[in-house]
Short mmCIF file of all heavy atoms in Angstrom, two decimals:
data_model
loop_
_atom_site.label_atom_id
_atom_site.label_comp_id
_atom_site.label_asym_id
_atom_site.label_seq_id
_atom_site.Cartn_x
_atom_site.Cartn_y
_atom_site.Cartn_z
N SER D 34 5.63 1.17 -20.78
CA SER D 34 5.99 2.05 -21.83
C SER D 34 7.42 1.90 -22.24
O SER D 34 7.79 2.30 -23.41
CB SER D 34 5.69 3.50 -21.45
OG SER D 34 6.66 3.99 -20.57
N ARG D 35 8.25 1.47 -21.35
CA ARG D 35 9.71 1.35 -21.48
C ARG D 35 10.41 2.70 -21.73
O ARG D 35 11.52 2.77 -22.10
CB ARG D 35 10.08 0.39 -22.66
CG ARG D 35 9.54 -0.98 -22.51
CD ARG D 35 10.49 -1.78 -21.70
NE ARG D 35 9.99 -3.18 -21.56
CZ ARG D 35 10.73 -4.16 -21.10
NH1 ARG D 35 11.98 -3.96 -20.71
NH2 ARG D 35 10.12 -5.30 -20.88
N ASN D 36 9.57 3.77 -21.52
CA ASN D 36 10.16 5.14 -21.60
C ASN D 36 10.91 5.55 -20.28
O ASN D 36 10.24 5.67 -19.24
CB ASN D 36 9.05 6.12 -21.87
CG ASN D 36 9.40 7.58 -21.94
OD1 ASN D 36 10.24 8.03 -21.17
ND2 ASN D 36 8.90 8.20 -22.98
N VAL D 37 12.19 5.58 -20.39
CA VAL D 37 13.03 5.71 -19.21
C VAL D 37 12.63 7.07 -18.41
O VAL D 37 12.54 7.07 -17.20
CB VAL D 37 14.47 5.75 -19.48
CG1 VAL D 37 15.35 6.04 -18.22
CG2 VAL D 37 14.90 4.35 -20.08
N ALA D 38 12.26 8.10 -19.09
CA ALA D 38 11.98 9.37 -18.50
C ALA D 38 10.63 9.29 -17.73
O ALA D 38 10.45 9.72 -16.63
CB ALA D 38 11.90 10.55 -19.46
N ALA D 39 9.61 8.56 -18.38
CA ALA D 39 8.40 8.41 -17.71
C ALA D 39 8.49 7.43 -16.49
O ALA D 39 7.82 7.62 -15.49
CB ALA D 39 7.34 7.77 -18.67
N ILE D 40 9.36 6.44 -16.67
CA ILE D 40 9.52 5.49 -15.56
C ILE D 40 10.21 6.21 -14.41
O ILE D 40 9.82 5.97 -13.25
CB ILE D 40 10.34 4.25 -16.05
CG1 ILE D 40 9.53 3.44 -17.00
CG2 ILE D 40 10.75 3.39 -14.91
CD1 ILE D 40 10.22 2.39 -17.80
N ALA D 41 11.23 6.93 -14.58
CA ALA D 41 11.91 7.67 -13.56
C ALA D 41 11.00 8.60 -12.86
O ALA D 41 10.91 8.68 -11.64
CB ALA D 41 13.07 8.53 -14.18
N PHE D 42 10.09 9.29 -13.63
CA PHE D 42 9.13 10.23 -13.04
C PHE D 42 8.04 9.34 -12.16
O PHE D 42 7.77 9.73 -11.06
CB PHE D 42 8.36 10.99 -14.09
CG PHE D 42 7.28 11.84 -13.50
CD1 PHE D 42 7.57 13.06 -12.90
CD2 PHE D 42 5.97 11.44 -13.62
CE1 PHE D 42 6.62 13.85 -12.42
CE2 PHE D 42 4.99 12.22 -13.04
CZ PHE D 42 5.27 13.50 -12.42
N ALA D 43 7.63 8.28 -12.69
CA ALA D 43 6.67 7.46 -12.01
C ALA D 43 7.25 6.92 -10.67
O ALA D 43 6.61 6.94 -9.62
CB ALA D 43 6.12 6.36 -12.84
N CYS D 44 8.55 6.42 -10.75
CA CYS D 44 9.19 5.89 -9.60
C CYS D 44 9.32 6.98 -8.48
O CYS D 44 9.00 6.79 -7.33
CB CYS D 44 10.61 5.39 -9.97
SG CYS D 44 10.56 3.86 -10.79
N ARG D 45 9.76 8.16 -8.92
CA ARG D 45 9.95 9.31 -8.00
C ARG D 45 8.59 9.67 -7.36
O ARG D 45 8.56 9.83 -6.12
CB ARG D 45 10.50 10.54 -8.74
CG ARG D 45 11.66 11.20 -8.24
CD ARG D 45 12.20 12.43 -9.02
NE ARG D 45 11.57 12.77 -10.24
CZ ARG D 45 12.01 12.41 -11.49
NH1 ARG D 45 13.02 11.65 -11.57
NH2 ARG D 45 11.37 12.76 -12.52
N THR D 46 7.52 9.68 -8.12
CA THR D 46 6.22 10.10 -7.62
C THR D 46 5.64 9.03 -6.75
O THR D 46 5.03 9.32 -5.71
CB THR D 46 5.32 10.39 -8.79
OG1 THR D 46 5.91 11.32 -9.60
CG2 THR D 46 3.96 10.89 -8.32
N VAL D 47 5.76 7.80 -7.03
CA VAL D 47 5.27 6.73 -6.20
C VAL D 47 5.98 6.61 -4.92
O VAL D 47 5.33 6.42 -3.83
CB VAL D 47 5.51 5.24 -6.98
CG1 VAL D 47 5.28 4.19 -6.01
CG2 VAL D 47 4.46 5.26 -8.12
N VAL D 48 7.35 6.84 -4.85
CA VAL D 48 8.06 6.87 -3.58
C VAL D 48 7.58 8.03 -2.72
O VAL D 48 7.34 7.82 -1.51
CB VAL D 48 9.58 6.95 -3.81
CG1 VAL D 48 10.44 7.30 -2.57
CG2 VAL D 48 10.06 5.61 -4.42
N LEU D 49 7.38 9.20 -3.39
CA LEU D 49 6.88 10.36 -2.66
C LEU D 49 5.49 10.07 -2.07
O LEU D 49 5.24 10.41 -0.93
CB LEU D 49 6.89 11.63 -3.55
CG LEU D 49 6.37 12.87 -2.95
CD1 LEU D 49 7.29 13.35 -1.78
CD2 LEU D 49 6.29 13.99 -4.01
N ALA D 50 4.63 9.55 -2.90
CA ALA D 50 3.20 9.22 -2.47
C ALA D 50 3.20 8.22 -1.32
O ALA D 50 2.43 8.45 -0.32
CB ALA D 50 2.40 8.72 -3.58
N ASP D 51 4.17 7.31 -1.32
CA ASP D 51 4.28 6.33 -0.14
C ASP D 51 4.59 7.09 1.15
O ASP D 51 4.05 6.79 2.16
CB ASP D 51 5.26 5.27 -0.45
CG ASP D 51 4.65 4.01 -0.87
OD1 ASP D 51 3.38 3.90 -0.95
OD2 ASP D 51 5.39 3.03 -1.18
N TRP D 52 5.57 8.04 1.07
CA TRP D 52 5.98 8.82 2.22
C TRP D 52 4.87 9.74 2.72
O TRP D 52 4.61 9.89 3.91
CB TRP D 52 7.27 9.51 2.04
CG TRP D 52 8.38 8.56 2.05
CD1 TRP D 52 9.20 8.26 0.94
CD2 TRP D 52 8.84 7.70 3.03
NE1 TRP D 52 10.13 7.36 1.28
CE2 TRP D 52 9.92 6.93 2.61
CE3 TRP D 52 8.40 7.42 4.38
CZ2 TRP D 52 10.61 5.97 3.31
CZ3 TRP D 52 9.16 6.44 5.13
CH2 TRP D 52 10.24 5.77 4.64
N LEU D 53 4.17 10.43 1.75
CA LEU D 53 3.19 11.45 2.12
C LEU D 53 1.85 10.87 2.54
O LEU D 53 1.17 11.38 3.42
CB LEU D 53 2.99 12.39 0.95
CG LEU D 53 4.19 13.25 0.59
CD1 LEU D 53 3.78 14.15 -0.62
CD2 LEU D 53 4.55 14.19 1.78
N PHE D 54 1.44 9.80 1.93
CA PHE D 54 0.01 9.29 2.09
C PHE D 54 0.00 7.92 2.69
O PHE D 54 -0.68 7.63 3.66
CB PHE D 54 -0.71 9.27 0.74
CG PHE D 54 -0.77 10.66 0.13
CD1 PHE D 54 -0.08 10.86 -1.06
CD2 PHE D 54 -1.51 11.59 0.73
CE1 PHE D 54 -0.13 12.18 -1.64
CE2 PHE D 54 -1.55 12.90 0.14
CZ PHE D 54 -0.95 13.16 -1.02
N THR D 55 0.77 6.95 2.10
CA THR D 55 0.67 5.60 2.58
C THR D 55 1.14 5.38 3.93
O THR D 55 0.57 4.70 4.80
CB THR D 55 1.46 4.58 1.57
OG1 THR D 55 0.95 4.88 0.21
CG2 THR D 55 1.22 3.17 1.96
N THR D 56 2.41 5.90 4.24
CA THR D 56 3.02 5.60 5.53
C THR D 56 2.11 6.22 6.66
O THR D 56 1.89 5.44 7.66
CB THR D 56 4.44 6.21 5.55
OG1 THR D 56 5.19 5.58 4.58
CG2 THR D 56 5.07 6.00 6.94
N PRO D 57 1.67 7.44 6.62
CA PRO D 57 0.79 7.91 7.71
C PRO D 57 -0.45 6.99 7.86
O PRO D 57 -0.81 6.72 9.05
CB PRO D 57 0.42 9.37 7.33
CG PRO D 57 1.48 9.76 6.39
CD PRO D 57 1.90 8.50 5.71
N ALA D 58 -1.06 6.59 6.79
CA ALA D 58 -2.25 5.81 6.80
C ALA D 58 -1.92 4.48 7.42
O ALA D 58 -2.72 3.89 8.15
CB ALA D 58 -2.89 5.66 5.44
#
Side-chain angles (χ1 to χ4, degrees):
S34 78
R35 301 275 179 170
N36 179 316
V37 176
I40 292 168
F42 176 79
C44 287
R45 232 181 355 263
T46 305
V47 164
V48 167
L49 179 63
D51 260 356
W52 288 115
L53 293 177
F54 304 110
T55 307
T56 300

